[in-house]
Amino acid sequence: MLETLRYLVGSAGASGYGSKSTAEQVTENCRDLHSITAIITGATSGIGAETARVLAKRGARLVLPARNLKAAEDARARILSENPDADIIVMGLDLSSLNSVRNFVSEFESLNLPLNLLINNAGKFALEPAVSEDGIEMTFATNYLGHFLLTKLLLKKMIETAKTSGLQGRIVNVSSSIYKWFSGDMIRYLCEISRNKLRDFDPTRAYALSKLAIVLHTKEVAQRLKQMEANVTVNCVHPGVVRTRLTREREGMVTDIAFFLTSKLLKTIPQAAATTCYVATHPALVNATGKYFSDCNEASTSKLGSNSTEAARLWTASEIMVSRGSKAVFDPLTSAILDYDRKSNSKKRKE
Protein backbone atom coordinates (compact mmCIF):
# COMPACT_ATOMS: atom_id res chain seq x y z
CA MET A 1 0.00 0.00 0.00
CA LEU A 2 2.82 2.38 0.94
CA GLU A 3 4.67 1.65 -2.31
CA THR A 4 1.52 2.33 -4.33
CA LEU A 5 1.01 5.64 -2.54
CA ARG A 6 4.62 6.66 -3.17
CA TYR A 7 4.18 5.78 -6.84
CA LEU A 8 0.98 7.83 -7.17
CA VAL A 9 2.45 10.94 -5.58
CA GLY A 10 5.82 10.50 -7.26
CA SER A 11 7.86 10.48 -4.07
CA ALA A 12 11.60 10.47 -4.75
CA GLY A 13 13.59 7.41 -3.78
CA ALA A 14 17.25 7.09 -2.78
CA SER A 15 18.35 8.32 -6.21
CA GLY A 16 16.50 11.60 -5.78
CA TYR A 17 14.01 10.66 -8.50
CA GLY A 18 10.67 8.86 -8.58
CA SER A 19 7.76 7.79 -10.76
CA LYS A 20 6.95 11.35 -11.85
CA SER A 21 10.50 12.21 -12.94
CA THR A 22 11.04 12.72 -16.67
CA ALA A 23 13.87 11.73 -18.97
CA GLU A 24 14.98 15.34 -19.28
CA GLN A 25 15.02 15.83 -15.52
CA VAL A 26 17.16 12.78 -14.77
CA THR A 27 19.75 13.76 -17.38
CA GLU A 28 20.08 17.42 -16.37
CA ASN A 29 23.12 16.71 -14.21
CA CYS A 30 24.79 14.09 -16.40
CA ARG A 31 28.06 14.93 -18.08
CA ASP A 32 28.14 16.19 -21.64
CA LEU A 33 27.43 13.26 -23.96
CA HIS A 34 29.20 14.51 -27.09
CA SER A 35 31.83 11.79 -26.64
CA ILE A 36 29.17 9.06 -26.44
CA THR A 37 27.97 6.88 -29.31
CA ALA A 38 24.74 5.06 -28.54
CA ILE A 39 22.72 2.39 -30.32
CA ILE A 40 19.03 2.46 -29.39
CA THR A 41 16.66 -0.19 -30.71
CA GLY A 42 12.95 0.56 -31.00
CA ALA A 43 13.53 4.30 -31.23
CA THR A 44 10.88 5.08 -33.84
CA SER A 45 8.08 5.67 -31.34
CA GLY A 46 7.09 5.69 -27.68
CA ILE A 47 9.69 5.26 -24.96
CA GLY A 48 12.50 4.58 -27.41
CA ALA A 49 11.80 7.76 -29.38
CA GLU A 50 11.80 9.86 -26.21
CA THR A 51 15.01 8.21 -25.03
CA ALA A 52 16.65 9.04 -28.37
CA ARG A 53 15.38 12.63 -28.31
CA VAL A 54 16.72 13.31 -24.83
CA LEU A 55 20.10 11.67 -25.41
CA ALA A 56 20.50 13.64 -28.65
CA LYS A 57 19.64 16.81 -26.74
CA ARG A 58 22.47 15.98 -24.32
CA GLY A 59 24.88 15.60 -27.24
CA ALA A 60 25.14 11.85 -27.87
CA ARG A 61 25.69 10.48 -31.36
CA LEU A 62 22.83 8.10 -32.09
CA VAL A 63 22.55 5.00 -34.23
CA LEU A 64 18.90 4.12 -34.74
CA PRO A 65 18.41 0.61 -36.16
CA ALA A 66 14.89 -0.18 -37.33
CA ARG A 67 12.90 -2.61 -39.43
CA ASN A 68 10.85 0.26 -40.86
CA LEU A 69 13.43 2.66 -42.31
CA LYS A 70 10.83 5.32 -43.12
CA ALA A 71 9.70 5.39 -39.51
CA ALA A 72 13.32 5.68 -38.41
CA GLU A 73 13.96 8.54 -40.84
CA ASP A 74 10.84 10.27 -39.51
CA ALA A 75 12.14 9.86 -35.95
CA ARG A 76 15.48 11.29 -37.04
CA ALA A 77 13.75 14.26 -38.65
CA ARG A 78 11.78 15.00 -35.47
CA ILE A 79 14.96 15.02 -33.40
CA LEU A 80 16.78 17.22 -35.91
CA SER A 81 13.91 19.71 -35.91
CA GLU A 82 14.59 20.26 -32.19
CA ASN A 83 18.38 19.77 -32.29
CA PRO A 84 19.70 20.58 -35.79
CA ASP A 85 23.27 19.64 -34.87
CA ALA A 86 22.37 16.16 -33.67
CA ASP A 87 24.42 13.32 -35.18
CA ILE A 88 21.99 10.53 -36.06
CA ILE A 89 22.54 7.48 -38.24
CA VAL A 90 19.64 5.32 -39.42
CA MET A 91 20.29 1.66 -40.23
CA GLY A 92 18.19 -1.39 -41.05
CA LEU A 93 17.55 -4.09 -38.46
CA ASP A 94 14.85 -6.71 -37.97
CA LEU A 95 15.40 -8.14 -34.49
CA SER A 96 13.23 -11.17 -35.20
CA SER A 97 15.80 -12.28 -37.80
CA LEU A 98 19.19 -13.51 -36.59
CA ASN A 99 20.60 -12.99 -40.06
CA SER A 100 19.43 -9.36 -40.01
CA VAL A 101 21.13 -8.87 -36.63
CA ARG A 102 24.40 -10.21 -38.01
CA ASN A 103 24.15 -7.98 -41.07
CA PHE A 104 23.47 -4.92 -38.93
CA VAL A 105 26.50 -5.55 -36.72
CA SER A 106 28.69 -6.08 -39.79
CA GLU A 107 27.49 -2.79 -41.30
CA PHE A 108 27.92 -0.94 -38.02
CA GLU A 109 31.47 -2.22 -37.62
CA SER A 110 32.28 -1.02 -41.15
CA LEU A 111 31.57 2.55 -39.97
CA ASN A 112 34.55 2.35 -37.58
CA LEU A 113 32.63 4.12 -34.85
CA PRO A 114 33.12 3.63 -31.11
CA LEU A 115 30.26 2.20 -29.04
CA ASN A 116 29.75 3.43 -25.49
CA LEU A 117 26.07 2.76 -24.92
CA LEU A 118 23.68 0.03 -26.07
CA ILE A 119 20.00 0.40 -25.20
CA ASN A 120 18.00 -2.73 -26.00
CA ASN A 121 14.56 -1.12 -25.99
CA ALA A 122 12.58 -2.60 -28.89
CA GLY A 123 9.59 -4.74 -27.97
CA LYS A 124 6.76 -6.68 -29.57
CA PHE A 125 3.53 -8.16 -28.26
CA ALA A 126 2.30 -10.79 -30.71
CA LEU A 127 -1.44 -11.31 -30.29
CA GLU A 128 -1.54 -14.40 -32.48
CA PRO A 129 0.87 -17.33 -32.54
CA ALA A 130 3.67 -16.64 -35.02
CA VAL A 131 7.15 -18.01 -35.54
CA SER A 132 10.22 -16.17 -36.82
CA GLU A 133 12.22 -17.27 -39.84
CA ASP A 134 14.58 -18.95 -37.37
CA GLY A 135 11.78 -21.08 -35.89
CA ILE A 136 11.37 -19.11 -32.64
CA GLU A 137 8.08 -17.74 -31.26
CA MET A 138 7.89 -14.16 -32.54
CA THR A 139 7.62 -12.25 -29.25
CA PHE A 140 10.57 -14.12 -27.76
CA ALA A 141 12.59 -13.80 -30.98
CA THR A 142 12.09 -10.03 -31.16
CA ASN A 143 12.19 -9.03 -27.51
CA TYR A 144 14.93 -11.33 -26.27
CA LEU A 145 16.81 -13.53 -28.72
CA GLY A 146 17.54 -10.78 -31.26
CA HIS A 147 18.87 -8.58 -28.46
CA PHE A 148 20.85 -11.50 -27.04
CA LEU A 149 22.71 -11.91 -30.33
CA LEU A 150 23.02 -8.15 -30.87
CA THR A 151 24.63 -7.73 -27.45
CA LYS A 152 26.87 -10.75 -27.93
CA LEU A 153 28.20 -9.46 -31.26
CA LEU A 154 28.70 -5.87 -30.04
CA LEU A 155 30.41 -6.69 -26.74
CA LYS A 156 33.90 -6.76 -28.25
CA LYS A 157 33.41 -3.29 -29.71
CA MET A 158 32.07 -1.97 -26.40
CA ILE A 159 34.95 -3.44 -24.40
CA GLU A 160 37.48 -1.98 -26.84
CA THR A 161 35.79 1.45 -26.75
CA ALA A 162 35.80 1.49 -22.94
CA LYS A 163 39.47 0.55 -22.88
CA THR A 164 40.62 3.16 -25.40
CA SER A 165 38.35 5.99 -24.20
CA GLY A 166 38.56 5.38 -20.49
CA LEU A 167 34.79 5.78 -20.34
CA GLN A 168 32.78 2.95 -18.83
CA GLY A 169 30.43 1.35 -21.34
CA ARG A 170 26.81 0.73 -20.41
CA ILE A 171 24.17 -1.70 -21.64
CA VAL A 172 20.56 -1.02 -20.70
CA ASN A 173 17.98 -3.75 -21.25
CA VAL A 174 14.34 -2.68 -21.14
CA SER A 175 12.24 -5.34 -19.42
CA SER A 176 8.91 -5.05 -17.61
CA SER A 177 7.52 -6.00 -14.21
CA ILE A 178 5.20 -8.32 -16.11
CA TYR A 179 8.11 -10.78 -16.15
CA LYS A 180 6.91 -11.82 -12.68
CA TRP A 181 3.78 -13.26 -14.27
CA PHE A 182 5.72 -16.16 -15.78
CA SER A 183 6.25 -19.38 -13.89
CA GLY A 184 7.29 -22.82 -15.05
CA ASP A 185 10.03 -24.19 -17.27
CA MET A 186 11.14 -21.45 -19.66
CA ILE A 187 12.77 -23.65 -22.30
CA ARG A 188 9.95 -26.19 -22.35
CA TYR A 189 7.32 -23.45 -22.72
CA LEU A 190 9.32 -21.75 -25.47
CA CYS A 191 9.48 -25.07 -27.30
CA GLU A 192 5.72 -25.50 -26.99
CA ILE A 193 4.82 -22.04 -28.31
CA SER A 194 7.47 -22.16 -31.03
CA ARG A 195 6.11 -25.45 -32.30
CA ASN A 196 2.46 -24.45 -31.82
CA LYS A 197 1.91 -27.37 -29.48
CA LEU A 198 -0.45 -25.49 -27.19
CA ARG A 199 -4.19 -25.54 -27.87
CA ASP A 200 -4.58 -21.94 -26.69
CA PHE A 201 -1.78 -19.41 -27.24
CA ASP A 202 -1.50 -16.96 -24.33
CA PRO A 203 0.15 -13.79 -25.68
CA THR A 204 0.57 -12.29 -22.21
CA ARG A 205 2.43 -15.34 -20.92
CA ALA A 206 4.64 -15.35 -24.02
CA TYR A 207 5.40 -11.66 -23.45
CA ALA A 208 6.15 -12.30 -19.76
CA LEU A 209 8.53 -15.10 -20.77
CA SER A 210 10.47 -12.75 -23.05
CA LYS A 211 10.74 -10.12 -20.32
CA LEU A 212 11.89 -12.68 -17.74
CA ALA A 213 14.56 -13.79 -20.22
CA ILE A 214 15.78 -10.19 -20.39
CA VAL A 215 16.11 -10.00 -16.59
CA LEU A 216 18.06 -13.27 -16.46
CA HIS A 217 20.20 -12.25 -19.45
CA THR A 218 21.17 -9.07 -17.63
CA LYS A 219 22.27 -11.08 -14.61
CA GLU A 220 24.35 -13.51 -16.68
CA VAL A 221 26.03 -10.87 -18.87
CA ALA A 222 26.97 -8.87 -15.78
CA GLN A 223 28.62 -11.93 -14.26
CA ARG A 224 30.55 -12.70 -17.45
CA LEU A 225 31.73 -9.11 -17.86
CA LYS A 226 33.00 -9.13 -14.27
CA GLN A 227 34.95 -12.31 -14.96
CA MET A 228 36.48 -10.65 -18.02
CA GLU A 229 37.29 -7.54 -15.96
CA ALA A 230 35.66 -5.50 -18.72
CA ASN A 231 34.84 -1.86 -18.06
CA VAL A 232 31.26 -2.34 -19.23
CA THR A 233 28.14 -2.59 -17.07
CA VAL A 234 24.70 -4.00 -17.84
CA ASN A 235 21.43 -3.31 -16.06
CA CYS A 236 17.75 -3.75 -16.84
CA VAL A 237 14.80 -1.46 -16.25
CA HIS A 238 11.05 -1.52 -15.82
CA PRO A 239 9.83 1.70 -17.51
CA GLY A 240 6.37 1.63 -15.93
CA VAL A 241 2.93 1.31 -17.47
CA VAL A 242 2.36 3.66 -20.39
CA ARG A 243 0.05 3.54 -23.36
CA THR A 244 2.42 3.29 -26.30
CA ARG A 245 2.10 1.72 -29.74
CA LEU A 246 2.90 -1.63 -28.13
CA THR A 247 -0.19 -1.52 -25.91
CA ARG A 248 -2.38 0.11 -28.54
CA GLU A 249 -1.95 -3.04 -30.64
CA ARG A 250 -4.24 -4.68 -28.08
CA GLU A 251 -7.02 -2.11 -28.36
CA GLY A 252 -10.54 -3.29 -27.70
CA MET A 253 -13.31 -2.81 -25.14
CA VAL A 254 -11.60 -4.81 -22.38
CA THR A 255 -8.25 -3.09 -22.94
CA ASP A 256 -9.85 0.35 -23.06
CA ILE A 257 -11.75 -0.27 -19.81
CA ALA A 258 -8.58 -1.56 -18.12
CA PHE A 259 -6.61 1.51 -19.13
CA PHE A 260 -9.43 3.81 -18.00
CA LEU A 261 -9.60 2.16 -14.58
CA THR A 262 -5.81 2.32 -14.15
CA SER A 263 -5.36 5.76 -15.73
CA LYS A 264 -3.96 7.20 -12.50
CA LEU A 265 -1.21 4.58 -12.59
CA LEU A 266 -0.15 5.34 -16.15
CA LYS A 267 3.02 7.26 -16.86
CA THR A 268 3.53 9.77 -19.61
CA ILE A 269 6.09 8.79 -22.22
CA PRO A 270 8.69 11.27 -20.84
CA GLN A 271 8.20 9.70 -17.41
CA ALA A 272 8.40 6.17 -18.82
CA ALA A 273 11.71 6.97 -20.55
CA ALA A 274 13.21 8.39 -17.35
CA THR A 275 14.50 5.13 -15.86
CA THR A 276 16.21 4.11 -19.11
CA CYS A 277 17.90 7.51 -19.40
CA TYR A 278 18.84 7.51 -15.72
CA VAL A 279 20.51 4.10 -15.90
CA ALA A 280 22.17 4.98 -19.21
CA THR A 281 23.74 8.25 -18.13
CA HIS A 282 23.74 9.07 -14.43
CA PRO A 283 27.19 9.30 -12.82
CA ALA A 284 25.91 7.75 -9.59
CA LEU A 285 25.67 4.39 -11.36
CA VAL A 286 29.34 3.97 -12.27
CA ASN A 287 30.23 0.29 -11.67
CA ALA A 288 26.59 -0.63 -10.89
CA THR A 289 25.87 -3.81 -12.83
CA GLY A 290 23.47 -6.74 -12.88
CA LYS A 291 20.78 -4.61 -11.25
CA TYR A 292 17.07 -4.09 -11.89
CA PHE A 293 15.68 -0.54 -11.78
CA SER A 294 12.16 0.83 -11.53
CA ASP A 295 11.13 4.49 -11.17
CA CYS A 296 14.82 5.48 -11.39
CA ASN A 297 15.71 3.46 -8.30
CA GLU A 298 17.17 0.02 -7.77
CA ALA A 299 14.48 -2.57 -7.09
CA SER A 300 14.44 -6.23 -6.11
CA THR A 301 13.68 -9.04 -8.53
CA SER A 302 11.55 -12.14 -8.04
CA LYS A 303 13.02 -15.46 -6.90
CA LEU A 304 12.98 -16.76 -10.48
CA GLY A 305 14.37 -13.48 -11.81
CA SER A 306 17.30 -13.81 -9.39
CA ASN A 307 18.01 -17.47 -10.14
CA SER A 308 21.60 -17.71 -11.42
CA THR A 309 21.12 -21.36 -12.36
CA GLU A 310 18.21 -20.48 -14.65
CA ALA A 311 20.20 -17.55 -16.05
CA ALA A 312 23.08 -19.88 -16.98
CA ARG A 313 20.65 -22.43 -18.45
CA LEU A 314 18.97 -19.76 -20.55
CA TRP A 315 22.37 -18.54 -21.74
CA THR A 316 23.31 -22.06 -22.88
CA ALA A 317 20.00 -22.47 -24.70
CA SER A 318 20.37 -19.04 -26.32
CA GLU A 319 23.88 -19.84 -27.53
CA ILE A 320 22.52 -22.99 -29.13
CA MET A 321 19.63 -21.13 -30.77
CA VAL A 322 21.82 -18.46 -32.34
CA SER A 323 24.54 -20.88 -33.47
CA ARG A 324 22.76 -24.12 -34.33
CA GLY A 325 19.13 -23.07 -34.70
CA SER A 326 15.88 -23.70 -32.86
CA LYS A 327 15.70 -27.37 -33.86
CA ALA A 328 18.90 -28.01 -31.94
CA VAL A 329 17.69 -26.49 -28.67
CA PHE A 330 14.24 -28.06 -28.96
CA ASP A 331 15.69 -31.49 -29.69
CA PRO A 332 14.70 -33.91 -26.89
CA LEU A 333 18.35 -34.83 -26.24
CA THR A 334 19.42 -31.19 -25.93
CA SER A 335 16.48 -30.43 -23.65
CA ALA A 336 17.48 -33.34 -21.46
CA ILE A 337 21.05 -31.99 -21.25
CA LEU A 338 19.76 -28.53 -20.28
CA ASP A 339 17.57 -30.10 -17.60
CA TYR A 340 20.52 -32.11 -16.30
CA ASP A 341 22.72 -28.99 -16.19
CA ARG A 342 20.06 -27.12 -14.23
CA LYS A 343 19.71 -29.91 -11.66
CA SER A 344 23.48 -30.40 -11.44
CA ASN A 345 24.18 -26.68 -10.95
CA SER A 346 21.37 -26.39 -8.42
CA LYS A 347 22.84 -29.31 -6.45
CA LYS A 348 26.32 -27.75 -6.50
CA ARG A 349 24.92 -24.46 -5.17
CA LYS A 350 23.27 -26.27 -2.26
CA GLU A 351 26.52 -28.08 -1.43
Side-chain angles (χ1 to χ4, degrees):
M1 182 66 182
L2 180 60
E3 287 299 316
T4 301
L5 183 60
R6 288 184 61 186
Y7 175 88
L8 288 173
V9 301
S11 297
S15 68
Y17 304 107
S19 62
K20 302 300 183 184
S21 300
T22 66
E24 288 202 20
Q25 289 171 345
V26 302
T27 57
E28 283 177 352
N29 297 319
C30 74
R31 61 183 172 77
D32 180 82
L33 300 183
H34 279 89
S35 59
I36 299 298
T37 297
I39 293 177
I40 309 172
T41 67
T44 59
S45 65
I47 297 169
E50 176 67 2
T51 299
R53 184 190 71 82
V54 172
L55 294 187
K57 182 175 183 177
R58 303 305 181 204
R61 174 198 287 130
L62 304 183
V63 178
L64 307 183
R67 181 174 55 84
N68 186 331
L69 289 178
K70 183 182 183 305
E73 289 291 355
D74 290 343
R76 178 177 180 272
R78 288 193 297 271
I79 295 172
L80 289 174
S81 67
E82 181 181 343
N83 297 287
D85 295 329
D87 187 354
I88 306 170
I89 301 169
V90 168
M91 300 178 67
L93 171 63
D94 179 355
L95 281 162
S96 73
S97 165
L98 298 178
N99 188 54
S100 177
V101 173
R102 293 188 179 94
N103 288 339
F104 165 77
V105 172
S106 179
E107 290 176 13
F108 174 75
E109 289 178 339
S110 71
L111 299 177
N112 294 315
L113 293 173
L115 181 59
N116 310 90
L117 176 60
L118 172 62
I119 299 179
N120 292 319
N121 167 82
K124 181 180 182 64
F125 192 112
L127 291 173
E128 301 295 333
V131 176
S132 73
E133 64 183 42
D134 302 292
I136 307 295
E137 189 277 323
M138 190 60 78
T139 298
F140 190 88
T142 304
N143 295 358
Y144 168 71
L145 194 63
H147 283 128
F148 170 88
L149 181 59
L150 181 66
T151 303
K152 173 184 170 69
L153 296 179
L154 289 173
L155 268 183
K156 182 180 178 182
K157 170 66 74 174
M158 294 196 72
I159 293 171
E160 289 176 350
T161 299
K163 188 173 183 179
T164 57
S165 69
L167 299 174
Q168 189 168 75
R170 295 190 184 187
I171 302 169
V172 182
N173 294 326
V174 179
S175 182
S176 168
S177 62
I178 202 173
Y179 84 86
K180 298 175 183 177
W181 293 15
F182 183 86
S183 62
D185 188 308
M186 298 176 66
I187 307 304
R188 182 171 290 111
Y189 181 66
L190 177 62
C191 175
E192 291 173 345
I193 58 178
S194 295
R195 292 186 168 183
N196 293 319
K197 288 189 174 182
L198 295 180
R199 180 177 301 175
D200 298 311
F201 175 72
D202 183 345
T204 301
R205 191 176 186 213
Y207 184 74
L209 169 66
S210 73
K211 293 303 181 178
L212 171 61
I214 291 169
V215 173
L216 292 174
H217 175 241
T218 301
K219 183 179 183 69
E220 185 67 15
V221 175
Q223 182 63 31
R224 290 171 180 264
L225 287 170
K226 283 182 180 178
Q227 292 173 352
M228 297 166 64
E229 297 184 347
N231 191 23
V232 178
T233 64
V234 54
N235 294 288
C236 62
V237 305
H238 165 54
V241 182
V242 58
R243 200 162 197 187
T244 64
R245 182 174 58 82
L246 185 67
T247 53
R248 285 197 297 271
E249 290 175 357
R250 304 190 68 198
E251 282 187 343
M253 182 179 293
V254 174
T255 304
D256 288 341
I257 292 174
F259 273 104
F260 173 76
L261 294 176
T262 60
S263 59
K264 295 300 182 183
L265 299 176
L266 295 182
K267 287 186 176 184
T268 65
I269 287 177
Q271 291 169 348
T275 305
T276 298
C277 289
Y278 172 74
V279 174
T281 66
H282 205 279
L285 297 185
V286 171
N287 296 328
T289 192
K291 309 294 185 181
Y292 176 82
F293 289 83
S294 177
D295 297 332
C296 302
N297 286 273
E298 185 178 342
S300 61
T301 53
S302 67
K303 183 177 180 180
L304 183 54
S306 305
N307 191 318
S308 58
T309 301
E310 282 301 309
R313 180 172 178 253
L314 174 65
W315 182 280
T316 300
S318 302
E319 287 278 21
I320 294 172
M321 282 186 274
V322 300
S323 62
R324 291 162 50 194
S326 62
K327 290 183 179 179
V329 81
F330 297 151
D331 178 85
L333 179 59
T334 304
S335 296
I337 292 173
L338 289 171
D339 284 338
Y340 174 79
D341 285 346
R342 177 178 60 175
K343 293 173 183 177
S344 177
N345 289 331
S346 179
K347 184 178 179 181
K348 289 178 181 177
R349 285 174 60 82
K350 291 179 180 179
E351 293 174 350

